[in-house]
Amino acid sequence: MDIMLKWIAYVILSAAETWIGYRLFNTYLTRNSVRQRYYWLGVIFYFTFQMFSYVNESPMFSTAAYYFFFATIIAVVFFSDSLQNKITIALLFVIMNYACKTAMTGIALAWGEQTLPRELINYRIVMDPWSQMMAYTVCFEFMGYDLYSRVEAE
């Protein structure tokens, strides 16, 4: 893949995951009184972490603990709900994210097992940007209905 397209895909992926997290947290949790600029620093920090994981082509589950840690820190610092709710929403975010990535990887591996020679299949499981975009589309579709219905109810 052309390097410029790859970087554009990384920016889109990082922005998409950051936006999904932003919408999820703002829908299910109540913002506290932390200043808006600090809140945006948290969003930028999460986006930067996403970019770092994509640029380094981290294997799929190698950053799950970091995702959960950062999502939990964001929930604790910027929202005023109970700790149980904050951790639950952070865990929901990470689990939905990886469930969709795992589904796309499973589909790709099943297809690859049938069509490619075994020596060409990479089992390190680093998803290319286009597979990640498909996974985020699936993730957004799963969460979208619930997020939409909560926003409409308000």
Side-chain angles (χ1 to χ4, degrees), residues 78-151:
F78 298 113
F79 296 94
S80 62
D81 297 88
S82 70
L83 185 60
Q84 179 182 3
N85 286 350
K86 293 174 187 177
I87 291 174
T88 301
I89 296 304
L91 193 59
L92 174 70
F93 177 57
V94 173
I95 287 173
M96 285 299 292
N97 183 356
Y98 279 101
C100 294
K101 287 182 179 183
T102 302
M104 286 299 120
T105 301
I107 292 167
L109 286 176
W111 176 79
E113 283 286 330
Q114 293 176 356
T115 59
L116 297 174
R118 217 173 207 5
E119 58 273 0
L120 293 180
I121 298 174
N122 179 4
Y123 289 100
R124 187 169 165 251
I125 307 181
V126 176
M127 295 178 76
D128 70 327
W130 309 116
S131 299
Q132 297 249 6
M133 284 183 192
M134 288 172 41
Y136 286 128
T137 301
V138 171
C139 184
F140 180 72
E141 291 296 322
F142 282 135
M143 289 186 186
Y145 176 74
D146 192 43
L147 292 173
Y148 177 75
S149 63
R150 286 189 172 263
V151 169

Side-chain angles (χ1 to χ4, degrees), residues 52-83:
F52 178 77
S53 69
Y54 289 128
V55 169
N56 286 325
E57 295 183 350
S58 303
M60 188 159 60
F61 294 107
S62 67
T63 55
Y66 301 115
Y67 284 129
F68 179 65
F69 175 74
F70 290 136
T72 303
I73 293 298
I74 287 170
V76 167
V77 171
F78 298 113
F79 296 94
S80 62
D81 297 88
S82 70
L83 185 60

